[in-house]
Amino acid sequence: MPRLTALLLLMMLTPITQAAEPLLFRAGLDNTEWLLSGSVFECRFAQTVPDYGSAVFYHRAGEDVHFQLETSRNLMDYSNARVSILPPDWQPSVKTEFLGTARIVKDTPNLTLDHERTNRFLHALMEGKWPTISHKTYYDPQRYIRVQVAAFAFDDFYQDYLQCVKQLLPVNFDQVARSKVFFAAGENAIDRKDSKILDTIIFYIQHDPRVFAVYLDGHSDNQGRRYDQRQMSKARVEDVERYFIKQGINPDMITTRFHGGRYPVASNNTAKGRAANRRVTIRLEQRDDVPIPPELLFQLPPRNDR
């Protein structure tokens, strides 16, 4: 009996602790703000998360859309956060969809989702659900943060976002800035497959005024005399240069060099390696300080005109 009394006394004196409710950051019906900006190079479809930052659907030309969380002041621990979709408040019986985890990092954006989960976020917003990032705070592992994207007015602004996506270029700078075309043994002229690659590069150059230089470098394998290797690489790079100029690229932008077999990227001891070395590389240079012309920026007419 004394032992039971002591146990009851201990329970009475021990404070009852409960897990604190997550600190919630999300916009409400009266302050949900969707912002859309872009150009032929990218679209940025963002919602302001009051007192926390921005939830961004970032769509770059030539790629699929990615969700990004950008914080004004990050409160989450720098580790894996929980990614989920919560049901709308009026459907509490609907199950939460758990989409795995994603890492919180110190750089901006602080979190990035792959395109598959990003598209599931967009689909959830169409259904009025709450895409959610949840995680413990960096200053107290017992306290949690929950950041949600609100679906209010999503349908109207989503149509605007689709208009922005429609005018994106088919490729982006990184996809064409470092390219190669290859040649069969003894050949120095581009074929139909090569011309398709070059056409894509040329198309991008013609639509991005920030590109100011094109460097073409010709290479060969190690077969034959060094002089012949050098002449072959020269003929290859000149054929690519002629194609660029014929398609309207300013010759003043182009710099050509030829190296023979001096810079192999693979072993010349195998047929596969020699094929990789018979190449012309194309490198584009872009100026970051050149503003995008207004005609390449995405603009929607006023809402009362649509």
Side-chain angles (χ1 to χ4, degrees), residues 38-231:
S39 65
V40 297
F41 308 112
E42 63 180 17
C43 295
R44 180 183 167 90
F45 184 36
Q47 181 181 117
T48 301
V49 181
D51 301 321
Y52 202 78
S54 296
V56 182
F57 294 94
Y58 178 72
H59 202 144
R60 193 181 185 197
E63 299 178 8
D64 205 338
V65 62
H66 290 270
F67 174 82
Q68 300 175 344
L69 180 62
E70 302 174 358
T71 66
S72 305
R73 176 174 174 263
N74 178 53
L75 300 179
M76 295 185 184
D77 185 64
Y78 295 109
S79 55
N80 285 335
R82 180 185 176 95
V83 181
S84 56
I85 296 173
L86 273 62
D89 296 341
W90 60 89
Q91 293 180 322
S93 60
V94 177
K95 290 184 178 180
T96 295
E97 300 175 49
F98 177 54
L99 304 185
T101 63
R103 192 163 189 84
I104 302 293
V105 299
K106 293 184 179 180
D107 296 331
T108 301
N110 302 95
L111 175 143
T112 301
L113 294 184
D114 56 83
H115 65 86
E116 180 180 335
R117 290 187 289 180
T118 297
N119 281 295
R120 292 185 67 174
F121 266 24
L122 288 169
H123 191 94
L125 289 169
M126 295 180 201
E127 298 175 331
K129 297 179 180 178
W130 298 90
T132 304
I133 306 297
S134 306
H135 200 31
K136 62 185 178 182
T137 65
Y138 71 85
Y139 51 85
D140 185 348
Q142 301 302 315
R143 296 181 182 275
Y144 282 77
I145 298 292
R146 179 178 290 169
V147 177
Q148 293 184 323
V149 188
F152 303 124
F154 175 77
D155 289 343
D156 291 340
F157 289 93
Y158 181 65
Q159 297 305 314
D160 295 344
Y161 159 72
L162 293 180
Q163 290 298 315
C164 184
V165 172
K166 188 180 297 185
Q167 51 88 59
L168 290 174
L169 296 178
V171 293
N172 61 58
F173 179 77
D174 290 340
Q175 292 171 333
V176 298
R178 302 291 184 270
S179 304
K180 299 176 184 178
V181 292
F182 297 94
F183 298 81
E187 292 189 356
N188 57 22
I190 60 174
D191 58 20
R192 183 176 297 179
K193 181 180 178 182
D194 298 330
S195 64
K196 289 183 178 180
I197 295 172
L198 298 180
D199 286 343
T200 300
I201 300 170
I202 291 166
F203 177 86
Y204 187 85
I205 296 172
Q206 292 172 334
H207 287 80
D208 188 349
R210 299 169 298 178
V211 176
F212 70 94
V214 181
Y215 294 93
L216 305 177
D217 287 86
H219 302 268
S220 72
D221 56 28
N222 69 344
Q223 303 300 290
R225 298 181 303 165
R226 289 187 178 179
Y227 175 81
D228 294 333
Q229 295 169 18
R230 187 170 172 81
Q231 291 304 109

Side-chain angles (χ1 to χ4, degrees), residues 181 183 187-191 194-195 198 216 232-246 256 280:
V181 292
F183 298 81
E187 292 189 356
N188 57 22
I190 60 174
D191 58 20
D194 298 330
S195 64
L198 298 180
L216 305 177
M232 180 61 73
S233 66
K234 180 175 183 291
R236 287 168 176 161
V237 78
E238 287 177 346
D239 194 57
V240 173
E241 179 187 30
R242 282 192 295 270
Y243 191 84
F244 270 80
I245 294 173
K246 183 180 178 181
T256 61
V280 169

Side-chain angles (χ1 to χ4, degrees), residues 24-43:
L24 180 61
F25 294 93
R26 74 181 190 187
L29 179 61
D30 59 341
N31 66 344
T32 296
E33 182 181 31
W34 289 100
L35 304 172
L36 178 62
S37 61
S39 65
V40 297
F41 308 112
E42 63 180 17
C43 295

Side-chain angles (χ1 to χ4, degrees), residues 10-18:
L10 179 61
M11 293 174 61
M12 293 173 60
L13 295 176
T14 302
I16 299 175
T17 59
Q18 295 181 343

